Amino acid sequence: MKVNNAIILAAGTSSRFAPLSYEIHKALIEVKGDIMIERQIRQLREAGITDIYVVTGYKSDQLAYLRDKFNVSLIHNHEYLIRNNHSSIWAARQFLGNSYICSVDNYFNENPFENEPEESYYAAKYAIDNTKEWCMEEGTDGYINHVRIGGENAWYMIGHAFWREDFSKRFLKILENEYDLPETKDKLWENIFIEHLDTLKMKIRKYPEHFIMEFDTLDELREFDESYKGDTRSSILKSIAKKLKVVEKELIDISVKKQTQTGAVGFSFQCKGHHYQYLFDTHVLRRLD
């Protein structure tokens, strides 16, 4: 089944990645010398997939250069602030066929893409210990027949998916029927898939432990790319380190404090055993203990 194109979902605010995502789109984060979305585009091209669409929303102006540099097509999702990622699928609906569905959150140590996948699938890694990720089970026919949040000794969703044309048509028909329902607004496209496992047939594509990486927070990125321990690439964190008279690697356990429609408005962190909060709107830094 020859791949028609790839759809890269890049509309979200990635608020958990604050403060970097407040300053720069997460797609443009550099990981071990590569810009994440640029690496993914190159890997798709290396697999012979030249028709690439990037669905934008948050900080879309920062991604505009991709059109000229890589000759990709940009689709703007005007509903990215009020709906979940199913709205990005809807924005790209006219292009869906035999399509890769990708996320800018992923870094692939090796190229996972191929030009002629046989079946629709969702990429997965195996969790021996407890995980809070979405764990999949497969039936005797090899297709996913159950998904639960959290588990152990299970394959869990991480990375890209491939939709065959028949899958794309079925999914879009369901999405068309359910798009205007109030309960659809906050759903991931994966939620909709899980609710229709009887008709949306997809297999698990199993990858080794370190094949696919996903960085939800700066602390997770630091574990993979240690250069971020000493240099966070964040002007906000550099300013905080200067004010506290510490080095950046001493700012740890960074997490979003609260969110609004515009994304993360503040974050908390620890430094030398103390707990701090920083608010973006007011640039106020205060100690909480």
Side-chain angles (χ1 to χ4, degrees):
M1 188 68 63
K2 188 174 177 60
V3 177
N4 299 133
N5 53 44
I7 313 294
I8 301 177
L9 307 183
T13 60
S14 302
S15 58
R16 283 188 295 171
F17 211 76
L20 269 71
S21 58
Y22 185 81
E23 301 173 79
I24 187 173
H25 195 291
K26 189 177 180 182
L28 304 179
I29 298 295
E30 180 183 311
V31 180
K32 292 191 174 181
D34 275 336
I35 302 299
M36 286 216 293
I37 193 168
E38 292 188 7
R39 179 183 177 87
Q40 198 167 131
I41 291 170
R42 288 197 303 271
Q43 288 174 326
L44 286 163
R45 289 273 166 78
E46 288 167 4
I49 301 157
T50 57
D51 197 6
I52 300 171
Y53 298 88
V54 179
V55 184
T56 67
Y58 178 67
K59 294 190 181 298
S60 58
D61 57 316
Q62 293 186 359
L63 302 179
Y65 80 98
L66 295 170
R67 183 188 290 110
D68 293 330
K69 184 171 183 177
F70 292 100
N71 194 31
V72 300
S73 299
L74 304 182
I75 304 169
H76 190 71
N77 175 5
H78 295 281
E79 298 184 290
Y80 76 96
L81 280 177
I82 58 173
R83 287 183 172 270
N84 217 317
N85 72 359
H86 70 273
S87 62
S88 289
I89 297 294
W90 187 246
R93 62 191 179 278
Q94 71 184 92
F95 306 108
L96 286 168
N98 297 320
S99 303
Y100 277 114
I101 307 298
C102 305
S103 169
V104 296
D105 288 330
N106 300 130
Y107 176 95
F108 303 108
N109 275 308
E110 298 179 40
N111 194 337
F113 303 112
E114 54 186 324
N115 197 256
E116 297 186 22
E118 294 182 4
E119 295 276 359
S120 298
Y121 69 79
Y122 205 114
K125 295 200 302 187
Y126 193 75
I128 298 175
D129 299 323
N130 284 316
T131 178
K132 296 180 181 179
E133 301 294 340
W134 292 19
C135 298
M136 298 176 283
E137 297 176 10
E138 52 194 349
T140 55
D141 59 0
Y143 290 100
I144 300 167
N145 66 359
H146 183 67
V147 181
R148 68 185 188 278
I149 298 176
E152 59 183 335
N153 297 316
W155 291 95
Y156 64 91
M157 292 178 164
I158 183 172
H160 58 295
F162 174 70
W163 293 10
R164 279 189 4 172
E165 186 171 4
D166 56 340
F167 184 100
S168 293
K169 288 179 178 178
R170 290 191 185 100
F171 189 94
L172 289 176
K173 182 63 176 176
I174 292 168
L175 186 57
E176 181 180 14
N177 291 336
E178 298 183 3
Y179 197 84
D180 291 327
L181 298 177
E183 59 267 30
T184 301
K185 186 176 179 180
D186 294 325
K187 289 181 181 179
L188 297 164
W189 76 257
E190 288 90 344
N191 289 116
I192 297 169
F193 161 62
I194 291 166
E195 291 167 0
H196 297 276
L197 291 176
D198 55 335
T199 55
L200 296 174
K201 297 297 184 180
M202 179 178 281
K203 293 190 173 183
I204 303 173
R205 176 62 65 88
K206 300 170 181 178
Y207 289 94
E209 171 62 24
H210 297 294
F211 203 102
I212 304 171
M213 307 300 296
E214 186 173 272
F215 314 111
D216 288 328
T217 65
L218 175 58
D219 288 313
E220 289 182 4
L221 175 57
R222 282 169 153 177
E223 291 180 14
F224 183 72
D225 186 342
E226 293 190 355
S227 70
Y228 276 86
K229 292 181 179 179
D231 180 6
T232 60
R233 283 75 152 175
S234 165
S235 60
I236 292 172
L237 290 177
K238 289 181 186 299
S239 174
I240 290 173
K242 184 177 181 181
K243 182 173 292 187
L244 296 179
K245 298 181 180 179
V246 299
V247 292
E248 290 172 68
K249 68 180 181 181
E250 294 179 279
L251 308 179
I252 60 172
D253 296 332
I254 299 167
S255 62
V256 173
K257 187 60 181 176
K258 71 175 186 176
Q259 301 175 35
T260 67
Q261 279 194 335
T262 57
V265 298
F267 64 96
S268 62
F269 65 94
Q270 293 194 45
C271 179
K272 290 188 172 183
H274 296 294
H275 193 200
Y276 294 85
Q277 180 189 74
Y278 179 88
L279 298 179
F280 293 126
D281 294 342
T282 59
H283 307 290
V284 169
L285 173 68
R286 63 190 182 101
R287 203 170 110 180
L288 301 178
D289 55 10

